[in-house]
Amino acid sequence: MAFQGVDFYGLDTLLNEDERAVRDTVRRFVDDEVLPIIGEHYLAGKFPKQIIPLMAELGLFGANLPEEYGCAGLNNVSYGLIMQELERGDSGVRSFASVQGALVMYPIYAFGSDEQKKHWLPKLATGEAIGCFGLTEPDYGSNPSGMITTARETKDGWVLNGAKMWITNGSTAHVAIIWAKTGDIKDVKSIRGFIVPTNSKGFSSKDQHGKLSLRASDTSELVLQDVQLPKDAVLPKSGGIKSPLMCLTQARYGISWGAIGAAMACYDEAVSYAKNRVMFGHPIGGFQLQQARLAEMLTEITKAQLLCLQLGRLKDQGTMTPEQVSLAKRNNVDIATNIARETRRLLGANGILAEYQAMRHLANLESVYTYEGTHDVHTLILGQAITGLNAFGG
Amino acid sequence: MKIAVCVKRVPDTETRIKIGVDGKSIDEAGVKFILNPYDEFAVEEALRLKEKAGNGEVVVYALGSDASQETIRTTLAMGADRGVLLKTDTPSADPLPAARALAAELKSGAYDLILFGKFAIDDYHQAVGPMVAELLDLPCVTAIGHLEVNGGSAVAEREVEGGIEVVELSLPAVLSADKGLNEPRYPALKGIMAAKKKPLEVKAVTLDAGGVTLLELALPPARKEGRIVGEGPDAVTALIQALRSEAKAI
């Protein structure tokens, strides 16, 4: 049965015709192409690569970037709705699109030269090139400024050395956006972004095995050993830790919406199960304890929807702040994780099966809770925004 | 190749229908509306024929209130060239006035093909398409599952009881599309953006009276809960008994 959405507050009336049309197209795509295959791919620990051309054909990559680069030129609310629907399928599928659009296409668009934009953006939009984003390192997660990957300028270009970890699309990618220090290892201002073709000599990637979460997603470790790049590999307008953090703001914005998708998928499953599963001679949906669960889920989903819609309107106006994104990412991923867990529990023993969605979403959301700024880091960002006092160092 | 496709805005198949206070219409509050699924096959077929021919125009017509503009936009997002809304706020439950309004509009369009869905999933009339054909004095083939166009003629296939009927027809003609004719494309995001720039003409129409009046709409009675009559071979006798004496089916 096709997904009907969760809209307790008539929020559809706050969306314009294009926004609804975009959402409905992606919703159908997820119903037809993602949901029938995602369970088996998750169990097999494989990203469903066959959907990449379909996603590209629909225009899902970098959909909020301008048409002159082959992108759809949508507003940010439409972009958010795309992320919502993709994550209703699976966080791994949404992650793929997030990385391609917000972490690879966006930095090229924001910090790249005209030549870089013209060369890479159309290829990335059509899926001809897949990208990944290398910021996090084995010892530098929440503290990316501490990175030890270096880029040394030579007579002919650059030489990169270092290692990156937890890189979505790392083994699939044709191109990596690598962040490295061009000056002293303590010089945070010297951080710059580089466009690195993954077939460069000295570049290697390795799948990270043993994941119990985001199993339908490629997560890799990247090693750069004396990778030589031409002078024009650097993103000319990038500079300092602010540049990668700007990319993360884009991605976190999409995650705020995506989490609603995962939450809606679980809620939908919970409602349908509660109405049909009979115990003690009654559907379990008639029991107060299950109704409390469902009421809580619907309440949190509705609040999260309102949060994201206004956040998207602010982004379209150009007034959205990173702290507002932190609030939405922190809240929405948290409530989505809780909703997935409560759905898993409402489903009883069936809730542990891959045939249902709840436990897959629950396991995925534990990663989403941690990546792109952990829940705790966003707490500190908000703490700093409220008090003006920085609590990051302890 | 110039092709007209007539489409209708209908409630989503998975919407729970409520009957309005007048007892003759459905309560539209909270109801999601979609492009009639059979019309989607018609639109897709028109787009494929145009693409194959390498030139031509696909014009989409809808009859209904302003809300039908969104339905036309969906088809423009799929790739249709322009749309025409025959606007009326007083739709008729009678297919004949609808067919007359469409035929009057289509008459001067010089279309090679006029396509419909085989029926609209809201009223199931299966009538407007053939009526338009009759009013325009054009050949008509309904519920086609396959179509080959060769210049001024075409071969269509339609599923009939226990087999396939193959029909040859001359163009221009009116055809109605069945499921299986093709796999409709998704309106891509760029298509959705492009659709905004495509022409959509709104023409007010007044429907004539026709000969059919809708008296009442009623929901089907709630289905009774099933009953398990027994298990294993013992159930057979009980089932036969129940089918004979209760259901009176055998």
Side-chain angles (χ1 to χ4, degrees):
Chain A
M1 178 166 156
F3 181 67
Q4 293 297 296
V6 179
D7 187 10
F8 197 62
Y9 263 39
L11 299 181
D12 256 21
T13 58
L14 298 179
L15 301 175
N16 68 33
E17 198 180 303
D18 297 340
E19 290 161 353
R20 286 199 301 275
V22 166
R23 193 257 330 264
D24 291 348
T25 275
V26 186
R27 184 166 282 177
R28 234 172 102 177
F29 162 76
V30 169
D31 281 339
D32 294 350
E33 312 290 344
V34 178
L35 292 178
I37 55 148
I38 196 64
E40 56 191 274
H41 280 78
Y42 194 89
L43 288 177
K46 284 192 164 53
F47 178 76
K49 284 188 185 176
Q50 68 273 29
I51 66 170
I52 298 174
L54 293 169
M55 292 172 83
E57 204 176 307
L58 280 180
L60 303 185
F61 301 141
N64 54 349
L65 297 179
E67 291 166 67
E68 60 174 303
Y69 300 114
C71 304
L74 301 180
N75 71 6
N76 286 291
V77 170
S78 299
Y79 175 83
L81 290 164
I82 294 172
M83 296 298 134
Q84 170 189 295
E85 291 305 317
L86 290 179
E87 193 146 0
R88 184 174 65 81
D90 190 80
S91 301
V93 174
R94 199 268 307 137
S95 295
F96 184 90
S98 273
V99 168
Q100 182 84 348
L103 297 180
V104 179
M105 296 172 75
Y106 171 79
I108 294 174
Y109 172 71
F111 310 122
S113 66
D114 279 349
E115 292 72 39
Q116 287 169 336
K117 287 190 236 185
K118 277 182 202 144
H119 179 76
W120 284 109
L121 292 179
K123 281 188 186 163
L124 289 158
T126 59
E128 187 192 333
I130 302 302
C132 68
F133 178 86
L135 176 68
T136 297
E137 298 185 358
D139 293 325
Y140 299 94
S142 291
N143 175 24
S145 303
M147 69 170 67
I148 53 171
T149 296
T150 58
R152 296 279 164 252
E153 198 160 8
T154 63
K155 213 167 53 204
D156 329 305
W158 301 89
V159 178
L160 269 61
N161 276 290
K164 299 288 179 182
M165 208 165 173
W166 306 113
I167 308 305
T168 300
N169 302 353
S171 299
T172 318
H174 305 96
V175 61
I177 302 297
I178 298 290
W179 299 90
K181 281 180 179 153
T182 55
D184 186 84
I185 210 70
K186 291 203 179 69
D187 183 5
V188 177
K189 288 203 183 88
S190 78
I191 293 173
R192 303 197 74 183
F194 293 84
I195 302 179
V196 185
T198 56
N199 60 4
S200 304
K201 197 171 165 235
F203 184 102
S204 59
S205 62
K206 201 172 75 187
D207 266 349
Q208 285 183 237
H209 293 297
K211 284 185 299 174
L212 295 174
S213 170
L214 285 182
R215 288 185 52 76
S217 178
D218 157 18
T219 310
S220 299
E221 190 182 348
L222 310 180
V223 176
L224 297 104
Q225 194 170 8
D226 292 326
V227 175
Q228 297 193 15
L229 298 172
K231 277 214 183 312
D232 62 3
V234 68
L235 291 167
K237 285 177 246 167
S238 69
I241 190 67
K242 189 163 181 278
S243 300
L245 292 186
M246 279 168 70
C247 302
L248 294 183
T249 298
Q250 304 302 313
R252 290 165 180 174
Y253 169 77
I255 291 169
S256 308
W257 283 92
I260 300 174
M264 290 198 304
C266 292
Y267 170 75
D268 192 53
E269 184 166 83
V271 171
S272 141
Y273 193 87
K275 284 182 178 172
N276 291 310
R277 173 71 172 170
V278 173
M279 198 55 60
F280 300 107
H282 300 285
I284 62 168
F287 298 132
Q288 291 183 358
L289 287 174
Q290 307 304 354
Q291 289 192 357
R293 278 197 163 110
L294 297 173
E296 192 66 28
M297 291 182 198
L298 179 61
T299 306
E300 291 306 326
I301 288 171
T302 304
K303 283 151 72 178
Q305 287 171 330
L306 281 160
L307 206 60
C308 266
L309 187 56
Q310 172 63 0
L311 188 69
R313 297 289 178 226
L314 292 174
K315 192 168 184 334
D316 281 327
Q317 281 169 32
T319 56
M320 180 187 84
T321 67
E323 292 79 11
Q324 289 168 336
V325 179
S326 284
L327 191 148
K329 192 273 180 185
R330 180 179 184 274
N331 179 75
N332 291 7
V333 176
D334 193 39
I335 64 108
T337 313
N338 290 336
I339 288 168
R341 187 183 303 112
E342 291 306 314
T343 300
R344 212 289 313 140
R345 291 176 180 171
L346 182 145
L347 264 59
N350 281 324
I352 70 164
L353 295 174
E355 184 187 331
Y356 292 90
Q357 305 176 60
M359 190 136 173
R360 175 168 52 80
H361 280 300
L362 173 59
N364 281 338
L365 286 163
E366 286 294 342
S367 290
V368 182
Y369 186 93
T370 297
Y371 75 23
E372 297 278 353
T374 67
H375 187 80
D376 294 346
V377 159
H378 289 297
T379 308
L380 299 184
I381 291 173
L382 289 176
Q384 188 176 17
I386 298 163
T387 64
L389 303 169
N390 174 338
F392 288 95
Chain B
M1 180 132 229
K2 201 173 169 195
I3 307 167
V5 189
C6 300
V7 304
K8 189 176 184 186
R9 175 178 180 264
V10 296
D12 192 340
T13 42
E14 283 165 26
T15 294
R16 205 162 283 176
I17 297 292
K18 273 186 280 180
I19 293 170
V21 280
D22 65 355
K24 294 180 185 182
S25 61
I26 64 162
D27 179 358
E28 295 197 358
V31 173
K32 190 176 172 235
F33 285 86
I34 56 168
L35 166 63
N36 178 43
Y38 290 98
D39 300 347
E40 228 178 307
F41 299 119
V43 173
E44 177 64 34
E45 196 64 17
L47 295 174
R48 289 186 189 192
L49 287 168
K50 182 193 150 183
E51 284 159 7
K52 202 173 161 198
N55 60 54
E57 190 183 25
V58 175
V59 187
V60 172
Y61 291 84
L63 178 72
S65 69
D66 265 330
S68 293
Q69 285 198 37
E70 190 166 350
T71 312
I72 295 176
R73 291 260 179 241
T74 304
T75 68
L76 299 179
M78 287 171 74
D81 297 293
R82 62 185 174 93
V84 180
L85 170 63
L86 303 181
K87 191 187 159 190
T88 169
D89 290 322
T90 46
S92 162
D94 183 345
L96 186 55
R100 283 185 186 136
L102 283 165
E105 180 64 29
L106 292 163
K107 199 172 184 173
S108 56
Y111 291 107
D112 300 305
L113 274 175
I114 298 172
L115 301 180
F116 286 82
K118 78 167 175 182
F119 59 73
I121 59 162
D122 55 354
D123 59 26
Y124 276 59
H125 277 311
Q126 315 192 37
V128 177
M131 282 176 169
V132 166
E134 182 64 25
L135 291 166
L136 296 177
D137 201 19
L138 292 176
C140 177
V141 184
T142 56
I144 60 166
H146 185 74
L147 177 67
E148 290 289 341
V149 174
N150 310 297
S153 69
V155 176
E157 290 179 12
R158 49 199 306 275
E159 202 172 310
V160 292
E161 188 67 42
I164 303 281
E165 189 176 79
V166 183
V167 190
E168 195 181 0
L169 60 138
S170 60
L171 302 190
V174 175
L175 305 173
S176 75
D178 199 357
K179 193 178 178 174
L181 178 60
N182 51 48
E183 186 68 42
R185 67 196 68 189
Y186 300 102
L189 307 192
K190 269 192 247 176
I192 291 170
M193 298 307 276
K196 284 197 293 193
K197 295 173 198 137
K198 292 181 178 175
L200 199 171
E201 198 182 344
V202 180
K203 293 182 176 178
V205 293
T206 311
L207 299 183
D208 59 36
V212 178
T213 311
L214 175 70
L215 298 180
E216 189 192 354
L217 281 181
L219 292 173
R223 234 195 295 175
K224 278 190 202 148
E225 213 174 310
R227 180 163 58 92
I228 294 168
V229 293
E231 279 182 31
D234 297 346
V236 176
T237 334
L239 186 60
I240 290 171
Q241 174 72 17
L243 287 172
R244 264 207 189 111
S245 59
E246 288 177 41
K248 304 207 186 329
I250 51 174

